[in-house]
Amino acid sequence: MPDSNHRFFDGLNQTLTLAWRTLVQIRHNPWELGDFSIQPVLFLLLFLYVFGGAIAGSTEAYLQFILPGVIVMNMVFVTVYVGHGLNMDLTRGVFDRLRALPIARWAPLAGRITADLVKQAWSILLLLAIGFLLGYRLEGTVMGLLGMSLLLLTFALAFSWVMVWIGVIARDPEHVQLFGFTALFPVTFVSNVFVPTESMPPWLQVVVELNPVSLLAEASRGLLNGEAFLQPALWSMAWALGIGLVFAPLALRALERRLASGSSP
Amino acid sequence: MDAIVAEAVSKRFGETQALDQVSLSLRPGTVLGLLGPNGAGKTTMVRILATLLLPDSGRIMVDGHDLLRNPQAVRRVIGLTGQYASVDDKLTGMENLILIARLLGQSRSQARTRARELLRDFSLEEAAGRAVQTYSGGMRRRLDLAASLVGNPRILYLDEPTTGLDPRARKQLWQRLRGMVAAGMTVLLTTQYLEEADALADDIVVIDRGRVIAKGTPDALKEQVGGQILRLRPRDPLQLAEIAEAVAALIGEMPDVDGRTVSCPVSDPALLTQVVRRLDEQGLALQDFSLRGASLDDVFLKLTGHRAESGETAEEGDQGA
């Protein structure tokens, strides 16, 4: 099927072009970059210097604990941009213009998600760089570091579908942010990102240990700090698979419905 | 071969029959005005013709391609500028055009050249490097139009292209459209401004509540109203109703009463003298009266039973999100 192959590569090209479009916006709107870089850095500094000593005995020890966790937390928050951007395209009519072009039907969505992965990679790099500046010591291997990045990007890819879904069903971009952050705050805080699970009441420990954010944080710590990581890594991938299987069809169906209702504006 | 042939297109959203057996055809190199108040179904029709929405039934050929069987071929020959088919606020004018050119398969340098060309044609060169969110309404609309022309479409859909523009910007856009049509472009234009349809369209299709209620050239439609309109303004506004009744007795139907005037279509010139005599007999004095050629406004009023503007407060049935 050379023709369908050809079309597939056209679609990939269109996806990259649309990803470029999302990323080039940052140049004109540097605040957006601040949105997804400054906030996690502030979190990192705040927790490190205000609570670090109390939680881990010393700032140095706490940095080893919290940096992988903050990277995970931030990854989860950055996915909100997929939903926000998609909703903006839907409500402002850009999506319609794209759909009226002779391009692959999946390219607009794939472009968004690809752009999101670039933002994710940038966030991971930035937080790692700041971590090293603050004195973080990589005790694991470089392979571990790459492994962590891959793990987080894979999870982000799956979790993006939750945000695509929210982006489709929300009335306007502001609601996407409201929904997204409101839902994500408890998910990221009721985890072991900031404090070890042992200090929590037993019933909460159960919840925290099941939370994919905890599992990812634990796996990331293992990979960066040269400790055990396999079990939490596998469990978090199982979560990713589950989330993808549930939310990708849900999001696509919701999108289909929104477009067919004639109310895409 | 007609550029567009749509036969018996119907579309329903839940309880609302947005389009009911709408048929229209568009000759190459001409402008078809799709005219109707808000909520008439104009936007739904354009969205269907632009492959954004599937009709429930009907048959549509665009430039010889069956829209339902081969939507991708249709997308290659159309350009869409709409209330909703919009440009990206956060990109510059240049980037918006390059984006579309690249999506249409042009190389980097081709895309750049085409974007420059269009920015020059639409007097946007100076703003080329600025984010669109800093543009004025008129500039935005020009960029919108430029964006729909990137791929040199044969057929252009313009969904209320001048809504929200000031009169000067509107006239300028008309001028551009006339130029494009003179160069061979085929245009489907939706508008709720009768003046706009009158100024641009070769043919007009009037729709109301999803149904075609009239079609023809602007002149033929005006003819349908009866050629001329008689307007009467009483000296004493309190006699408005009495005058309306007197006229009704003569023409056999209730004339339109609008604020301080009574108006009705006149096909028989003798009516004028009859009206004047009758009012005189009844002692009803007039401030002034006039007889003038029918406008599309009058056509609209006669066809739909309401003025074009009165629809503006109603929500467009197919976009209530």
Side-chain angles (χ1 to χ4, degrees), chain A residues 44-45 48-49 59-64 67 127-139:
Chain A
L44 182 63
L45 295 175
L48 186 60
Y49 293 112
T59 312
E60 291 75 31
Y62 191 54
L63 182 59
Q64 295 300 110
L67 183 68
L127 283 171
L128 278 174
I130 291 186
F132 285 127
L133 279 179
L134 296 174
Y136 180 80
R137 296 179 318 280
L138 182 69
E139 282 159 358

Side-chain angles (χ1 to χ4, degrees), chain A residues 18-67:
Chain A
L18 287 162
W20 163 80
R21 166 223 163 195
T22 304
L23 294 172
V24 83
Q25 291 180 352
I26 295 169
R27 215 173 58 204
H28 311 294
N29 201 3
W31 292 114
E32 198 179 315
L33 194 65
D35 266 0
F36 63 81
S37 343
I38 293 172
Q39 204 182 315
V41 173
L42 283 179
F43 258 106
L44 182 63
L45 295 175
L46 194 77
F47 270 84
L48 186 60
Y49 293 112
V50 178
F51 304 119
I55 296 172
S58 73
T59 312
E60 291 75 31
Y62 191 54
L63 182 59
Q64 295 300 110
F65 180 83
I66 196 185
L67 183 68

